[in-house]
Amino acid sequence: MKPISVQTVWQILDEAKDVCITHELNGSYNLQFEYPIDSAKWEFIANNRICRVGDECFRIRSIDNNKIYALALYMDAQFKHIQYIGDMLGKTPRYIMTQLFKNTNIH
């Protein structure tokens, strides 16, 4: 079995331990791992930073001592208010999503 590699945009977090990804059916998609506080790369771990495991991206939501908890990046959409937009019948899914998320940092 290939080891799981956790990385931020800046650095590969090669000292990550107890990496655990949980995905609830129709629910949350979480990443949890431990990282030594005395590591030189600890400075790259902070709330709202994006980290990646394989092809999946996660946003760090909380840090408790050396335990890092992150939520799948696409889950950011649940924290955004989506304004009412009129009738979208006959529009493509891409058009609808573009309209719903315009003026937000979700692309």
Side-chain angles (χ1 to χ4, degrees), residues 51-87:
C51 57
R52 185 175 65 143
V53 176
D55 293 332
E56 298 293 332
C57 292
F58 298 85
R59 183 177 308 278
I60 296 174
R61 289 290 176 193
S62 66
I63 301 167
D64 183 16
N65 294 322
N66 69 330
K67 292 183 181 181
I68 294 89
Y69 303 93
L71 191 61
L73 193 58
Y74 72 84
M75 300 290 290
D76 280 355
Q78 74 180 349
F79 300 111
K80 302 293 180 190
H81 170 72
I82 298 176
Q83 71 278 9
Y84 172 77
I85 296 182
D87 187 10

Side-chain angles (χ1 to χ4, degrees), residues 4-7 19 21 31 33 51-58:
I4 295 174
S5 172
V6 178
Q7 66 185 68
V19 178
I21 296 175
L31 166 67
F33 63 96
C51 57
R52 185 175 65 143
V53 176
D55 293 332
E56 298 293 332
C57 292
F58 298 85

Side-chain angles (χ1 to χ4, degrees), residues 11-79:
Q11 294 287 324
I12 293 176
L13 302 176
D14 51 356
E15 297 175 73
K17 293 185 175 134
D18 296 328
V19 178
C20 179
I21 296 175
T22 56
H23 192 185
E24 296 175 14
L25 185 61
N26 297 322
S28 64
Y29 192 19
N30 302 303
L31 166 67
Q32 179 180 332
F33 63 96
E34 293 183 13
Y35 208 79
I37 295 173
D38 58 352
S39 170
K41 294 181 181 178
W42 180 258
E43 67 180 291
F44 296 105
I45 298 173
N47 283 329
N48 292 315
R49 290 252 171 106
I50 296 172
C51 57
R52 185 175 65 143
V53 176
D55 293 332
E56 298 293 332
C57 292
F58 298 85
R59 183 177 308 278
I60 296 174
R61 289 290 176 193
S62 66
I63 301 167
D64 183 16
N65 294 322
N66 69 330
K67 292 183 181 181
I68 294 89
Y69 303 93
L71 191 61
L73 193 58
Y74 72 84
M75 300 290 290
D76 280 355
Q78 74 180 349
F79 300 111

